Amino acid sequence: MITNSKVDPSRLKGVMTALVTPFKNGVVDYDTLGTLSEWHLQCGIDALVPCGTTGEAPTLAWDERLKIIRACVRTSRGRVPVIAGTGTNSTEMTIAHTSAAQSCGADAALIVTPYYNKPSQEGIVRHFEAIAQSTNLPIIIYNVPSRTGVDLTMHTLDRLAQIPSIVGIKDATGEVKRVEYIRTIFRDRFILLSGHDETAYAFNLLGGDGMISVIANVLPHVFVALRDACKAGDWATARYIQQRMQPVFKAFDLDINPCPIKCALKHRRGMSDEVRLPLVPVSVETAIEIRSALDHLGGTDDGAAIFKQVETISGGQTAPLAWRV
């Protein structure tokens, strides 16, 4: 199916926030979601991505998903695309979620490969074919084998490339050589987005078009600066940002997403760290590590601070540019 979406594919590039779903006493906190989303837009984020892994989509009720997508569309007001997470391990339910997201005003759908069922490559192709035949939203495939138990092969991507409405891939494997390989084979057929914060710099260096970031929830300025550096081919600045972020990446690896990012948002922005079972908030020890890493990075809770000092980086060079956190 050829998509008739009015979204320019070039708008589905850059740095995008994989939004958390704020909760308050077990209920979605839509006011906080709106405030967080608006802050990200003011910081220069290129798209909002609700109802994904970071948004705890598997624990969201049907009506909650729709209200969250509508809230993001309402906040964006067309300023940036809203890419709704609509994937499930059921083709029928994924079609329903994608159609509903379109009716709510979403600009594109982020659809994870089916999890738990562990379909064959043939099953994955037929899954996406069925979805594409049922919606005209642009589709970004979300490949995250560590969560789903299945991976996309190059042969499968070749078959999926025949579906016009599949416009991009979010790769969360952390295997950065994949982006170079995919770019070499498929050239500009797919928009390539990193789904792994720690390797986003290398992913874009090797031919990526941007990132869907978890940590951007709390440090949007950092990832906007990384985007700008990558876009300008200023790899020295991008590498500098990468180096400064290493303690943050390490701290966030101490627990499963989205528990660390909710801890970080509590520390920096006073939000609740509430998650839904079977997830639980991070331990006291992990919270200390996360707070320490953020405090060491610098900045304030509104992200407006600027590194003005010149710092020494690897090779005796100085930090190329000031950048905001």
Side-chain angles (χ1 to χ4, degrees):
M1 170 179 287
I2 298 176
T3 177
N4 62 7
S5 170
K6 296 180 181 179
V7 178
D8 182 347
S10 66
R11 297 188 68 204
L12 302 178
K13 298 180 181 181
V15 58
M16 312 170 187
T17 306
L19 284 168
V20 300
T21 298
F23 297 116
K24 187 175 183 180
N25 299 321
V27 178
V28 177
D29 187 345
Y30 297 101
D31 289 339
T32 297
L33 175 64
T35 300
L36 180 67
S37 299
E38 179 60 35
W39 177 51
H40 287 180
L41 298 183
Q42 294 298 324
C43 291
I45 290 293
D46 292 304
L48 301 175
V49 188
C51 301
T53 303
T54 308
E56 301 177 65
T59 65
L60 295 175
W62 173 269
D63 63 323
E64 289 176 329
R65 280 186 180 236
L66 301 190
K67 289 179 181 178
I68 289 168
I69 295 168
R70 289 193 191 104
C72 290
V73 170
R74 186 165 55 248
T75 299
S76 173
R77 301 193 307 278
R79 288 176 288 175
V80 301
V82 173
I83 305 171
T86 62
T88 74
N89 66 332
S90 161
T91 304
E92 182 179 1
M93 283 303 299
T94 301
I95 290 172
H97 280 299
T98 306
S99 297
Q102 183 173 6
S103 70
C104 291
D107 298 289
L110 177 68
I111 302 180
V112 69
T113 55
Y115 46 85
Y116 187 76
N117 300 347
K118 297 187 72 173
S120 66
Q121 296 297 303
E122 180 67 26
I124 292 173
V125 171
R126 293 192 185 188
H127 175 76
F128 282 101
E129 284 177 341
I131 296 165
Q133 290 169 3
S134 303
T135 179
N136 58 14
L137 275 185
I139 295 170
I140 297 174
I141 299 171
Y142 180 15
N143 188 37
V144 55
S146 64
R147 295 252 185 185
T148 64
V150 295
D151 196 2
L152 292 176
T153 66
M154 291 300 112
H155 178 66
T156 296
L157 283 180
D158 187 52
R159 293 181 64 187
L160 294 174
Q162 310 310 311
I163 304 174
S165 59
I166 295 180
V167 300
I169 304 166
K170 173 188 176 183
D171 187 278
T173 64
E175 299 174 11
V176 295
K177 289 186 177 180
R178 286 191 180 211
V179 65
E180 187 175 28
Y181 192 45
I182 294 172
R183 184 63 78 205
T184 298
I185 295 175
F186 296 102
R187 299 187 181 275
D188 294 328
R189 169 61 185 86
F190 295 114
I191 296 166
L192 300 179
L193 302 169
S194 169
H196 187 254
D197 283 341
E198 188 171 1
T199 57
Y201 152 69
F203 187 98
N204 283 273
L205 175 63
L206 293 173
D209 296 305
M211 64 210 76
I212 298 179
S213 169
V214 174
I215 303 178
N217 275 280
V218 72
L219 296 172
H221 290 80
V222 172
F223 287 89
V224 166
L226 180 60
R227 173 205 67 194
D228 291 345
C230 291
K231 188 175 181 179
D234 183 1
W235 302 112
T237 297
R239 183 170 60 252
Y240 170 65
I241 295 171
Q242 173 79 6
Q243 291 172 345
R244 287 299 306 271
M245 285 289 291
Q246 284 303 311
V248 178
F249 296 143
K250 182 178 179 180
F252 272 68
D253 269 346
L254 295 174
D255 207 330
I256 194 70
N257 179 45
C259 304
I261 191 61
K262 286 200 164 180
C263 171
L265 285 166
K266 179 179 181 179
H267 178 56
R268 278 293 180 97
R269 297 192 62 79
M271 291 173 54
S272 170
D273 63 350
E274 185 178 341
V275 290
R276 280 186 173 168
L277 288 171
L279 298 180
V280 295
V282 302
S283 67
V284 172
E285 294 78 11
T286 296
I288 290 172
E289 293 290 335
I290 292 170
R291 292 195 298 265
S292 176
L294 291 171
D295 292 345
H296 179 74
L297 184 67
T300 61
D301 62 354
D302 65 0
I306 300 176
F307 282 107
K308 295 181 181 295
Q309 70 274 24
V310 175
E311 302 183 18
T312 300
I313 59 178
S314 62
Q317 298 176 346
T318 55
L321 291 174
W323 59 291
R324 296 180 294 170
V325 300

